Amino acid sequence: MTDLRLARREVRVRAPGKVNLSLRVGPRDDDGYHRLSTVFQAVSVFEEIAARPADDLRVSVLGPEAHRVPTGDDNLALRAARLLAAHTGVDDGVHLRITKTVPVAGGMAGGSADAAAALVACDAFWGTGLPREELAELAATLGADVPFLLMGQIAVGTGRGDVLTPALGRGDYHWAFGVRAQGLSTPAVFDAFDALYPDPQVPDLDSEVALMQALRAGDPVAVGALLHNDLQQAAVELCPELVETLAVAEDAGALGVVVSGSGPTVAALGRSRQHALALAAAMTAAGVVDSVLTASGPVTGARVLPGSDAL
Ligand code: C5P
């Protein structure tokens, strides 16, 4: 490449957010993490990262919620870049420009999506070409949800949520998400779970059999009826207004309604794309959310976008 082309090089990567169709939480282990079993679905609410040349490692954030994202050492995309550089011995810089769409601190894994996107973006930008399995191992050290956002689609997660088995599914699922401006801290929700349930059962994958069957059959009515989240009550304790949001989405005829992950985003499953829009409109009209998003799933995990100029 010419110097000019090198200086203008850009790799763009998109990573999805997620909703937990089922989340069953067991006891906290010695590492501070809860053992859990979960069924993830990646949905079409995307974080986009553009990697560009720079002398050092740096990050900037765009989008209406950008001011709520730290850009210092705590930033998950920056941590991902630093981890990949250390792992591969690269000492080049990169500027990661993040365009955020996934709600911040909303239980849809926006920060983890940034980490997954940054791993894929830097791997392409620096030409390190790691196999996906190796990227997934690095991803697991950045956060429990990060490996799933690399993989995407539908998967069962065990351990901390980071031990993944891809799951078969048919059809598209159409969601309305009710978003609150004030997020919830994931550790605080897990602490509230511990206070509510001092002696939880070790989660058992047998509990997910009916949901896996419904997914294989492509039956959104059955999937809707089986949506489940053990963290929901803990999220409601910290944000009692969620009760009303859940009720509004149910009354509007959602096939199922559940708090997404550690919340406070409420996920309502529609019968169709149109119905998901109607569910979003019902939540807005009732004044029970600060904003709404509609999306469908499953979608693929973190991927380089066509037209990117990698090494
Ligand atoms: O892995 P991640 O950094 O996303 O997790 C954030 C926090 O959520 C952890 O520090 C922990 O308090 C809690 N957590 C947990 N059990 C899990 C996943 C997350 O207690 N399986």
Side-chain angles (χ1 to χ4, degrees):
M1 279 190 205
T2 63
D3 285 354
L4 192 60
R5 265 199 72 195
L6 275 175
R8 288 185 180 159
R9 234 155 39 87
E10 180 179 79
V11 171
R12 288 188 304 124
V13 170
R14 213 165 73 159
K18 58 86 183 165
V19 57
N20 302 78
L21 304 179
S22 174
L23 177 53
R24 295 178 196 276
V25 182
R28 198 188 280 269
D29 223 332
D30 293 343
D31 61 4
Y33 277 78
H34 293 74
R35 298 304 100 172
L36 50 84
S37 88
T38 186
V39 180
F40 291 110
Q41 184 179 95
V43 294
S44 62
V45 183
F46 294 105
E47 299 285 273
E48 191 175 313
I49 289 193
R52 292 180 179 171
D55 295 331
D56 53 3
L57 297 178
R58 71 175 89 138
V59 71
S60 52
V61 187
L62 306 172
E65 299 295 299
H67 59 283
R68 296 177 55 203
V69 181
T71 52
D73 284 348
D74 283 351
N75 183 281
L76 267 172
L78 206 51
R79 283 177 48 204
R82 207 173 288 129
L83 179 69
L84 184 71
H87 182 77
T88 56
V90 164
D91 64 0
D92 290 354
V94 70
H95 177 191
L96 298 173
R97 217 178 54 156
I98 304 173
T99 306
K100 283 208 79 66
T101 312
V102 180
V104 178
M108 293 183 70
S112 301
D114 292 346
L119 282 176
V120 172
C122 292
D123 186 50
F125 190 76
W126 290 329
T128 42
L130 293 193
R132 278 266 156 176
E133 306 80 68
E134 209 169 325
L135 283 181
E137 279 167 28
L138 295 180
T141 70
L142 292 164
D145 290 337
V146 185
F148 175 68
L149 299 168
L150 273 184
M151 179 187 272
Q153 306 294 358
I154 305 172
V156 178
T158 54
R160 304 188 307 180
D162 55 340
V163 180
L164 297 176
T165 309
L168 290 175
R170 290 218 311 239
D172 289 325
Y173 294 79
H174 301 286
W175 298 95
F177 295 105
V179 181
R180 306 197 83 85
Q182 180 93 44
L184 283 178
S185 137
T186 303
V189 175
F190 275 101
D191 288 348
F193 172 87
D194 291 341
L196 277 170
Y197 312 103
D199 192 16
Q201 282 195 335
V202 176
D204 180 356
L205 278 181
D206 287 352
S207 316
E208 313 295 7
V209 168
L211 177 58
M212 304 310 287
Q213 275 169 356
L215 287 165
R216 274 199 301 275
D219 181 350
V221 174
V223 169
L226 290 163
L227 296 177
H228 175 85
N229 185 355
D230 277 347
L231 291 179
Q232 183 155 312
Q233 194 50 41
V236 165
E237 297 271 316
L238 298 176
C239 180
E241 297 88 343
L242 286 177
V243 173
E244 214 183 331
T245 314
L246 292 160
V248 165
E250 262 161 35
D251 291 349
L255 299 178
V257 185
V258 75
V259 167
S260 179
S262 55
T265 304
V266 167
L269 183 60
R271 290 187 300 272
S272 63
R273 199 178 296 273
Q274 263 61 38
H275 187 217
L277 285 168
L279 294 172
M283 287 190 273
T284 305
V288 291
V289 290
D290 294 308
S291 60
V292 287
L293 291 168
T294 55
S296 57
V299 296
T300 190
R303 290 290 178 278
V304 174
L305 291 174
S308 285
D309 194 1
L311 270 185

